[in-house]
Amino acid sequence: MRTQKQRSYCRWLLAAGLLFVMFVAGCASPSQQPSQAVQTTLARCADKDCFISAANDCQEINVTLNEDVGVFKYSSSKDCVFTKTLVSPNENETPEMKKLLSGKSFVCAYKKGAFDGQWVTSLVVGIEYCEGELKDILGKLILFA
Amino acid sequence: MIFFYFLCIGSFIFLPNKTRVMKAVMHFSVVFLVYIIVFSSLAVQAEDFVWETYQGATQWSVSVTEDESGCGGGKKVHSIALQLQHNQKSVGVGNWGHGPTKGTFSGNTLSIPERTIPDSGGTSKLYAFNVEFTPDCSGFAGAYRWDYRGQGQSCSGSTSLRATRTDGNGCPEEKEQKTEVNVVREGLDRLLRLNKEIQDLDRKIALLGEEESSSLRAELYSNLKRKGDQFDILRPKIEDNYRKILNKDPDNFWANWDIAELEKSRGNYKAYFDHFDRAVTNERTESVSKVLKKKAAEDLGLSEFPTIVGSPSVRKISDDMNSRQGVSVYDVNVDVPKEPSKWEKFKIKVWTAIAPEFHNAVNELVGVQQK
């Protein structure tokens, strides 16, 4: 039969063991601090100006904005490629126009420091340097403006 | 008629006694069939021609009948040689006795507006009238009433015109111009294809990695040089051919349109816009705009034209362009016109600069054969 002293000793031993296990588990788990090699570079923006600035720096960023024409998604990548997608057109477009425009996008390559903000602020200005279905459609829609 | 013809052939072959009547009937039907085939095809060609798209001069012999019986005179008929100077819808009409005037074509109907002219010590008010041109381009006819006031007299009469064309048979020169440009266009198509092949080769070479074999690299460079040399030999010949057409007719639509495409393919956007402006004159804008919009709507799968009122996208495009003094396209400034009458041409100009395939689109629209 254990004495009270022995029982107290066991409790301390158990507590120390648990502490040790927790210490070892904490040291073995992946670090919460990102390493240099896998550092996350995804920038965050909530408006056009912020996006334009980030894209100009060829940062990897996505922004989705609700505008008069519809919901646009703007993306830029580390290799300085900009993508503009009309996710969903304005509800007031005709069914044919909605079907035509939904999900269409164009892509524009540029040099760092030379991002054309008009790709974001305008529908058609500067798109001659871009490629994609959305460019072709918007180009034709100019005739009806 | 064709059935009758074959009936005659059959009877001629199978009847044992070839009667004179049967022979005569067969000969007549052969002649009649040839007549129908030849003149039907001419009529089909002529139906395709619309005077409101023509540019150039035509010559006519006009029989003018003046009915002055309301003014105490009688009917007088005289013939006169008349020239029409066509600038698509707008036409300058020579003097058939009441002074030169201008008219406007709609299809093959020329509308002459009302005017007042000095006449024998007084004035004559000539009422507006239409002149109808025949589908085979061989003649026209029209008549108008007039009111004379002068020398203590006022009376009314009429003048009728009946004309036959004297400078050619069939519908006139625009088809010949197009044919001349079509011959040159074969060379242009080759040149544009070469240009595209050169650009593709450039791109392939640019994408070559370090690890790509030197033989592949050498082959690509060799192809590029060969095509570049062919381009350098062909280009001045093609340009020279078009310059010859433009020297005779500086506003020739097709020559300017094609040279515009050539300049665009070389990245010379300033020259592209200059030739575009000469090709798409103000008079041509409406007809060009009409066909381009129709084609664009078809390509987009739209059953009706979208409008600024009905489409937020189209409205935004319009606002984008209207809010600026100029729009930069390939770093060349294109002024945004203040006059609404120039807006259509501006839109066509911007779209054709952006659209890679507009040249072929226009060719398709007007039925120009492509190789």
Side-chain angles (χ1 to χ4, degrees), chain A residues 27-108:
Chain A
C27 286
S29 69
S31 170
Q32 295 303 310
Q33 290 289 334
S35 69
Q36 288 297 325
V38 295
Q39 186 167 4
T40 303
T41 56
L42 190 64
R44 293 187 188 282
C45 273
D47 62 27
K48 287 184 180 181
D49 288 340
C50 174
F51 175 84
I52 290 168
S53 176
N56 196 42
D57 203 32
C58 297
Q59 293 183 38
E60 192 169 323
I61 180 168
N62 297 318
V63 169
T64 300
L65 297 172
N66 204 345
E67 303 177 31
D68 290 341
V69 172
V71 175
F72 275 105
K73 181 180 170 189
Y74 302 103
S75 307
S76 75
S77 68
K78 282 182 284 189
D79 44 7
C80 307
V81 173
F82 165 72
T83 305
K84 180 169 180 171
T85 306
L86 181 47
V87 177
S88 57
N90 186 304
E91 270 304 306
N92 294 327
E93 294 282 4
T94 62
E96 279 181 341
M97 284 287 280
K98 281 184 200 168
K99 187 180 168 191
L100 175 68
L101 291 164
S102 280
K104 300 296 193 306
S105 61
F106 63 69
V107 173
C108 324

Side-chain angles (χ1 to χ4, degrees), chain B residues 132-144:
Chain B
E132 299 296 337
F133 282 67
T134 58
D136 64 358
C137 306
S138 66
F140 65 73
Y144 58 97

Side-chain angles (χ1 to χ4, degrees), chain A residues 48 67-69 86 89-90 92-94 96-97 100-101 118 121-129 135-145, chain B residues 292-293 296-297 299-306 308 310-314 316-318 320-321 324 328-331 343-344 347-348 350-351 354:
Chain A
K48 287 184 180 181
E67 303 177 31
D68 290 341
V69 172
L86 181 47
N90 186 304
N92 294 327
E93 294 282 4
T94 62
E96 279 181 341
M97 284 287 280
L100 175 68
L101 291 164
Q118 292 177 120
T121 58
S122 166
L123 264 193
V124 294
V125 178
I127 66 171
E128 64 270 23
Y129 293 110
K135 173 203 170 179
D136 296 336
I137 294 168
L138 293 175
K140 287 186 172 105
L141 290 179
I142 288 173
L143 293 172
F144 304 104
Chain B
L292 286 178
K293 279 182 181 172
D299 287 349
L300 294 173
L302 300 174
S303 57
E304 53 185 34
F305 291 174
I308 295 172
S311 167
S313 310
V314 173
K316 169 75 175 163
I317 292 171
S318 177
D320 269 353
M321 295 195 291
R324 298 157 195 267
S328 176
V329 182
Y330 288 113
D331 296 325
W343 182 244
E344 281 302 312
K347 287 188 294 176
I348 297 170
V350 172
W351 172 67
I354 292 172

